[in-house]
Amino acid sequence: MKKRIVLIIIGVILIAELIYTELNKPQEVVLNIKGKNYTFIQEANYSQELSGLMNANFLELFIYNAEGMVFPNYLNSTPFCFWMHDTYIPLNQIWIENNTVVAVYKAQPLNDTPICYNGTEVIEIPAFFYVNVSVGDKVS
């Protein structure tokens, strides 16, 4: 009887973990930049997104075959700020406003200086993934 109860509890825990994982997995977002489609991941909610690529080993990007992450400006912050705290590789950060690139910044690892521009979303791409993007480019 105890063995049966333990197996039921383990089963319930496994099902709960599967449901939690499915509800909180990142979404794939495809953006077209200069006529080429790029895949990005976007965390399922704002609290997960706060850490972005901090402490990342980029395994998740490879699993999703993604070039980077996209961050909607959930709080409509003006300006929209990022930093490189606990981020160990250089990133290209791309601010977008009204489907137009308004700023491109080459962010350096472990730099706690805020990087701020106006925008409705920001794309972060590891510097070793080459994406040719310039201010004024259209993003859809």
Side-chain angles (χ1 to χ4, degrees), residues 24-99:
N24 290 291
K25 74 178 184 180
Q27 303 172 48
E28 288 187 17
V29 176
V30 177
L31 296 176
N32 186 289
I33 304 171
K34 293 174 109 172
K36 183 176 178 192
N37 287 336
Y38 296 94
T39 302
F40 300 96
I41 56 174
Q42 177 182 326
E43 293 295 347
N45 59 57
Y46 175 70
S47 63
Q48 288 176 338
E49 202 165 83
L50 286 175
S51 62
L53 295 174
M54 287 170 44
N55 299 306
N57 63 13
F58 297 96
L59 180 59
E60 191 171 27
L61 293 178
F62 291 114
I63 289 171
Y64 289 95
N65 195 28
E67 278 82 18
M69 290 186 75
V70 62
F71 299 87
N73 189 348
Y74 286 115
L75 302 178
N76 295 318
S77 302
T78 303
F80 194 19
C81 297
F82 284 72
W83 66 345
M84 295 290 287
H85 183 78
D86 289 336
T87 306
Y88 297 99
I89 68 161
L91 298 174
N92 293 322
Q93 296 174 329
I94 303 161
W95 275 258
I96 300 168
E97 178 81 51
N98 297 323
N99 297 327

Side-chain angles (χ1 to χ4, degrees), residues 1-45:
M1 182 66 167
K2 285 184 180 182
K3 188 175 185 179
R4 181 183 242 172
I5 291 172
V6 169
L7 289 174
I8 290 171
I9 291 171
I10 290 172
V12 169
I13 291 170
L14 289 173
I15 290 171
E17 177 65 26
L18 286 171
I19 291 169
Y20 176 82
T21 300
E22 185 63 27
L23 291 175
N24 290 291
K25 74 178 184 180
Q27 303 172 48
E28 288 187 17
V29 176
V30 177
L31 296 176
N32 186 289
I33 304 171
K34 293 174 109 172
K36 183 176 178 192
N37 287 336
Y38 296 94
T39 302
F40 300 96
I41 56 174
Q42 177 182 326
E43 293 295 347
N45 59 57

Side-chain angles (χ1 to χ4, degrees), residues 109-130:
L110 304 173
N111 187 338
D112 287 348
T113 304
I115 305 155
C116 303
Y117 293 96
N118 292 334
T120 52
E121 59 191 342
V122 171
I123 298 171
E124 285 189 335
I125 303 171
F128 53 79
F129 288 160
Y130 181 73

